[in-house]
Amino acid sequence: MSFTRYKDKKVFITGGSAGIGKGIAIQLAKAGASVIVSARGKSNLEKTVQELKAVGAPTAVFGFAVLDVSDKKALEKEAKKAIQTLGGLDLLICSSGFAKAGEASDLEDEVYRNLMDVNFFGHVNSALAFNDHFAKQKSGEIVFLASTLAFFSIYGYGAYSASKFAIVGFAQGFRQEMMLHGVKVKLFLPPTTDTPGLEKENTDKPELSKEIEMGSALNKVHAIDSVAKAILKWIPNKKFIGYTGWDSWLQYFLFRHFPEFSIKLTDSELKAAQSRLYKKKQKDRNAV
Ligand SMILES: NC(=O)c1ccc[n+]([C@@H]2O[C@H](COP(=O)([O-])OP(=O)(O)OC[C@H]3O[C@@H](n4cnc5c(N)ncnc54)[C@H](OP(=O)(O)O)[C@@H]3O)[C@@H](O)[C@H]2O)c1
């Protein structure tokens, strides 16, 4: 797949040191873009920049910004620096974020707040740090990564989904504001993707959540590379919302058009998972 439209583009990526954000950075570097990646951890950022230099154009500029997206002031400072370093900006990709699953009453208050701080405020802070630049320039693209769980939720994912639903609302209103300045705002719903973030999420997710996934036909785990490519292919098209794979399409379609039916479907998946788990535990007990 060739992404010639990104040649010589200037790009800033939050969450660019790992997972989907890093995958996008690598594809962009290969296409000839200049890229600044940002995250909290410096060593992963340094490693990423080395990888970008190895595949990128000799004339391209690569750099990193160490910051926490929940820190609005840090973002404002780093945004100014990035615009100076790159000599402008064409594309902002907001990929920072994390998932934490757990029954609502088991999650500490701090988890709810962190999810909102990073997944919602992190994207808002990032967009607002660059929007003056884009508005003055009268062009540019801002891409928010949300989740398929930004339009529906299931057992164990209420807190996470709330932070992702929130960014959908913001993105819709903000899209219209920026449209008046000639700037595109878009929202992508990544599917389950094989990233360090997913690995971490899987370590402490409730056993019932794992059982639901095992029984679901819609739980394909996608490769970073294919998701990154799908995002870059979708950016130039006219659609506000993007997704990849028939599994995401089906989930999005069902919940948009048949919400009550979809709720019944997920309820039956939950009950079936609960019953399988019960039987497994019985079997284990009998085996002792
Ligand atoms: N992977 C999936 O299955 C999946 C599914 C649906 C949606 N998504 C969404 O897609 C996006 C990318 O996910 P991923 O799985 O690629 O994540 P990942 O592998 O965990 O990578 C996350 C990136 O964001 C950075 N980051 C995390 N918290 C940050 C913070 N507070 N401030 C600044 N940077 C921060 C991380 O670096 P540091 O830790 O060093 O800061 C890293 O570079 C997220 O918004 C996620 O919610 C992922």
Side-chain angles (χ1 to χ4, degrees):
M1 203 179 293
S2 150
F3 293 119
T4 46
R5 84 178 288 268
Y6 296 106
K7 188 175 179 310
D8 297 327
K9 293 282 183 213
K10 296 153 186 166
V11 187
F12 189 95
I13 306 178
T14 73
S17 69
I20 302 171
K22 181 174 172 179
I24 295 171
I26 288 170
Q27 292 303 324
L28 284 170
K30 284 183 181 169
S34 288
V35 183
I36 292 190
V37 283
S38 81
R40 291 163 304 176
K42 191 172 174 197
S43 65
N44 277 346
L45 284 168
E46 285 172 334
K47 264 189 242 156
T48 303
V49 169
Q50 289 314 315
E51 289 178 50
L52 298 180
K53 283 181 179 164
V55 296
T59 50
V61 176
F62 299 108
F64 65 81
V66 181
L67 58 85
D68 189 318
V69 286
S70 62
D71 182 347
K72 188 174 161 84
K73 289 222 156 58
L75 259 161
E76 284 167 356
K77 194 172 129 212
E78 293 299 334
K80 277 191 193 125
K81 270 207 247 170
I83 291 166
Q84 253 182 2
T85 307
L86 295 173
L89 197 78
D90 303 299
L91 170 62
L92 167 67
I93 294 181
C94 301
S95 184
S96 52
F98 75 102
K100 172 80 187 157
E103 278 200 13
S105 55
D106 290 340
L107 297 176
E108 304 283 337
D109 279 3
E110 202 192 341
V111 173
Y112 286 85
R113 289 187 193 283
N114 278 344
L115 282 165
M116 288 306 289
D117 272 348
V118 178
N119 294 347
F120 172 65
F121 285 107
H123 280 11
V124 173
N125 291 340
S126 306
L128 297 185
F130 287 100
N131 78 331
D132 272 358
H133 165 78
F134 284 132
K136 275 187 204 133
Q137 187 174 266
K138 297 202 180 304
S139 69
E141 291 163 327
I142 300 174
V143 174
F144 296 118
L145 266 64
S147 168
T148 44
L149 288 176
F151 282 90
F152 71 96
S153 197
I154 52 171
Y155 169 93
Y157 281 90
Y160 170 74
S161 281
S163 69
K164 294 294 187 181
F165 271 58
I167 201 60
V168 175
F170 174 75
Q172 284 187 8
F174 187 60
R175 186 194 71 85
Q176 282 211 315
E177 292 174 27
M178 296 310 284
M179 185 178 81
L180 300 178
H181 298 286
V183 180
K184 266 205 221 171
V185 174
K186 299 178 59 111
L187 182 79
F188 194 86
L189 315 176
T192 304
T193 311
D194 187 13
T195 65
L198 180 68
E199 203 182 317
K200 188 155 186 286
E201 177 193 337
N202 282 339
T203 56
D204 59 358
K205 121 184 336 177
E207 53 180 0
L208 192 45
S209 294
K210 287 185 189 157
E211 194 59 46
I212 294 168
E213 285 171 6
M214 274 188 247
S216 170
L218 298 182
N219 194 46
K220 179 175 181 243
V221 179
H222 295 248
I224 291 175
D225 203 40
S226 75
V227 174
K229 285 179 180 162
I231 292 171
L232 292 175
K233 194 173 163 206
W234 154 84
I235 288 175
N237 84 23
K238 285 195 178 131
K239 290 190 177 140
F240 169 57
I241 291 169
Y243 40 77
T244 182
W246 69 271
D247 43 343
S248 294
W249 172 81
L250 191 60
Q251 282 169 334
Y252 181 65
F253 178 82
L254 286 176
F255 269 89
R256 291 296 286 179
H257 300 290
F258 305 101
E260 292 303 326
F261 167 76
S262 304
I263 283 170
K264 281 199 183 117
L265 204 66
T266 51
D267 284 354
S268 66
E269 281 190 335
L270 171 66
K271 283 177 194 152
Q274 193 185 32
S275 144
R276 282 196 308 274
L277 204 58
Y278 177 77
K279 281 181 193 151
K280 273 186 202 167
K281 283 185 178 168
Q282 287 286 93
K283 207 173 152 196
D284 289 349
R285 253 182 240 132
N286 293 341
V288 175

